[in-house]
Amino acid sequence: MAAKRTFNVERFFQALGDNTRLRLLNLMGDQEICVCYFVEILGGPQPKISRHLAYLRSAGIISARRDGRWMHYRIVMPPHIGASLILRQTLDWLKEDKGMQADRARLTKACCSPAKYALLEGAPLPTTFNETSCEAC
């Protein structure tokens, strides 16, 4: 039987204390997104983006799923009720930030015309938990 991992509150707050990680969470919102979109939108090197995603995973804020060569990420609510409330409030707050809105607009543009972005060639579109396509495009 595997040992149950306890929730690390300090790691949770440290995960929220970095602008790149906040931008990643903002882009995920209620979608599952391939890492290639993060690299394209944030303009950073893939290893750096992957390190930030790994940090968010270790903090219990996101989960990952592999589909062939593509890695997909989505937000998961932490098991701690207080952390879950804080994460929801943080995500709502990010929606109001102009810089975060610009990131989401770039994501919408990229998912609606992936052929314009070399890194996105063949990449699966982000999917919401309720939808399976980019309906907003």
Side-chain angles (χ1 to χ4, degrees):
M1 183 186 306
K4 187 175 181 181
R5 203 172 105 189
T6 60
F7 183 75
N8 186 328
V9 176
E10 182 180 1
R11 185 120 177 123
F12 171 78
F13 280 105
Q14 288 172 341
L16 296 179
D18 179 87
N19 190 55
T20 299
R21 291 191 286 269
L22 290 173
R23 289 177 75 191
L24 290 166
L25 290 171
N26 171 63
L27 288 170
M28 280 180 249
D30 63 351
Q31 301 179 93
E32 181 179 70
I33 300 180
C34 178
V35 68
C36 56
Y37 283 91
F38 298 132
V39 172
E40 184 65 46
I41 303 308
L42 300 183
Q46 188 272 328
K48 179 182 177 186
I49 300 296
S50 291
R51 279 194 305 274
H52 283 291
L53 290 165
Y55 199 100
L56 289 167
R57 279 181 74 187
S58 73
I61 299 173
I62 66 170
S63 66
R65 176 181 66 84
R66 179 175 290 283
D67 183 15
R69 67 181 188 139
W70 308 106
M71 285 298 293
H72 302 268
Y73 294 89
R74 68 179 181 97
I75 295 173
V76 294
M77 285 298 136
H80 187 278
I81 187 76
S84 183
L85 289 170
I86 289 167
L87 182 56
R88 282 190 184 103
Q89 290 175 340
T90 301
L91 293 170
D92 288 342
W93 187 13
L94 294 176
K95 288 178 185 176
E96 303 301 319
D97 182 85
K98 296 292 183 199
M100 298 294 177
Q101 290 171 356
D103 280 351
R104 283 194 307 278
R106 284 191 295 279
L107 176 62
T108 299
K109 183 178 177 184
C111 83
C112 292
S113 343
K116 292 182 180 178
Y117 303 90
L119 289 175
L120 301 180
E121 186 176 341
L125 290 173
T127 57
T128 63
F129 299 111
N130 299 327
E131 301 174 4
T132 57
S133 64
C134 185
E135 298 292 330
C137 299

